[in-house]
Amino acid sequence: MAEPTSIAPAKYLRDPAAIYAQSFATIEAEADLSVLPPELRPAAIRMIHACGMVDLAADIVGDPAVVTASQDALRAGAPVLCDCEMVRSGIIRRHLPEATELIVTLNDPTVPALAASLGTTRSAAAVELWRPRLAGAVVLIGNAPTALFHLIELIAAGGPRPAAIIAAPVGFVGAAESKALLASNTLSMPFLTVRGRRGGSAIASAAFNAISKDLA
Amino acid sequence: MAEPTSIAPAKYLRDPAAIYAQSFATIEAEADLSVLPPELRPAAIRMIHACGMVDLAADIVGDPAVVTASQDALRAGAPVLCDCEMVRSGIIRRHLPEATELIVTLNDPTVPALAASLGTTRSAAAVELWRPRLAGAVVLIGNAPTALFHLIELIAAGGPRPAAIIAAPVGFVGAAESKALLASNTLSMPFLTVRGRRGGSAIASAAFNAISKDLA
């Protein structure tokens, strides 16, 4: 085993601006962003940055209108409805108007009983609690496929329509399927998503942060 | 475009227990966990579950002692030092003793000036603020390579030694390098990490949650 002294001083980039510049240069060099409409490329770059995988670009799909639809909604004071606390934690607050509400209903005390009575997950039941705030809101889903399925069903059934849906639920059961359903754009609503199993809170909030960056 | 009615009723799994069972069955069927020591497989399964990628197994590396070292520390009342709020948000609180502190120093008001004076990132400067709580703690890094580099330097220079390091910083600058340095185990300290660019808060907190699950 090497001596501890062998690792000091480690040579690594410490300057935040240089780190960002080199990260984004690597992404631009290695990722094929040409498959995406220009409007979605800044979000794609941030999503790739959040997961360390340049090939994510091939799975990103969205309506270019998601950018202005989200920005207009946020400027107008719309809340952001998040499916879990990790997504909310990933949002860069300073991009947003001071009054913007970041709402997570997952841990509302009524959710477990509601989930049981609906015969679904807590994540899907939590979406029911979005109803009073859903019209015109920006939706941000980073974890639960059932939250996205439930949201699509709720809207398709005539429920309130959000301004935009940014969704990257992750995993092996329902993630690819719920995102394919969103991407089929049956709802005729601005959206941004990632095809397949990959996703997660960091990717979802990175997409949102890229879109809200130029709000002012 | 399909009619809205064409998506209702969607057929998807709604039962949380069935979703978990099918997720873990998929991971067991598709992931090659045999490359990992048995002690690390439960953590690996949760890490894969958090990112939707079965091939992550090949990049997971750790000292099998990280499991009992973390559990013993948590039972003894050790705090968990997290590099960012997303990691803290991902921790399943009910696994832990009531008194366990989940500490994030990144947004401490002294951090920006400290980062400037040290010529490093806010994430690395925040690690300096861990010093009074670092001895015997469990460290959980899910975002910043510079936090991991700084921690390794601090310990190598004779600073306080945590009980275990679980680290999955992500990205294109320093992530692979900082994790390779951790994996070289120069510090002779129990660790768990993911080689390469991939990582993130969800993977880090999933590893921690798998380890803390059997604490009681």
Side-chain angles (χ1 to χ4, degrees), chain A residues 70-166:
Chain A
S70 301
Q71 291 174 340
D72 289 348
L74 293 167
R75 276 192 207 101
V80 185
L81 301 171
C82 311
D83 72 327
C84 64
E85 289 293 345
M86 284 191 86
V87 164
R88 174 156 65 180
S89 295
I91 291 175
I92 301 176
R93 179 76 232 189
R94 69 175 182 277
H95 291 176
L96 302 171
E98 257 184 59
T100 301
E101 287 177 80
L102 311 179
I103 296 172
V104 180
T105 53
L106 182 60
N107 298 308
D108 187 282
T110 65
V111 162
L114 184 59
S117 78
L118 295 172
T120 191
T121 64
R122 290 196 303 117
S123 294
V127 168
E128 275 299 312
L129 301 188
W130 291 355
R131 281 186 185 268
R133 307 301 302 279
L134 190 54
V138 176
V139 169
L140 193 49
I141 295 176
N143 182 45
T146 54
L148 180 55
F149 271 129
H150 195 87
L151 175 68
I152 295 172
E153 291 178 322
L154 184 161
I155 297 167
R161 292 174 64 85
I165 301 174
I166 300 166

Side-chain angles (χ1 to χ4, degrees), chain A residues 12 14 30 89 153 197, chain B residues 12 14 30 89 153 197:
Chain A
Y12 62 91
R14 292 167 163 80
E30 295 187 19
S89 295
E153 291 178 322
R197 292 173 169 179
Chain B
Y12 62 91
R14 291 166 163 82
E30 294 186 21
S89 295
E153 291 178 321
R197 291 172 169 180

Side-chain angles (χ1 to χ4, degrees), chain A residues 1 7 12 14 23 27 30 51-53 86 89 119-121 149 152-153 170 172-173 181 185 188 197, chain B residues 1 7 12 14 23 27 30 48 51-53 86 89 119-121 149 152-153 170 172-173 181 185 188 197:
Chain A
M1 189 174 292
I7 66 162
Y12 62 91
R14 292 167 163 80
S23 293
I27 295 169
E30 295 187 19
C51 68
M53 297 181 287
M86 284 191 86
S89 295
T120 191
T121 64
F149 271 129
I152 295 172
E153 291 178 322
V170 60
F172 300 94
V173 176
L181 184 59
N185 203 10
S188 302
R197 292 173 169 179
Chain B
M1 186 175 293
I7 66 163
Y12 62 91
R14 291 166 163 82
S23 293
I27 295 168
E30 294 186 21
I48 290 167
C51 68
M53 298 181 286
M86 284 191 85
S89 295
T120 189
T121 64
F149 270 129
I152 294 172
E153 291 178 321
V170 61
F172 299 93
V173 177
L181 184 59
N185 204 10
S188 301
R197 291 172 169 180

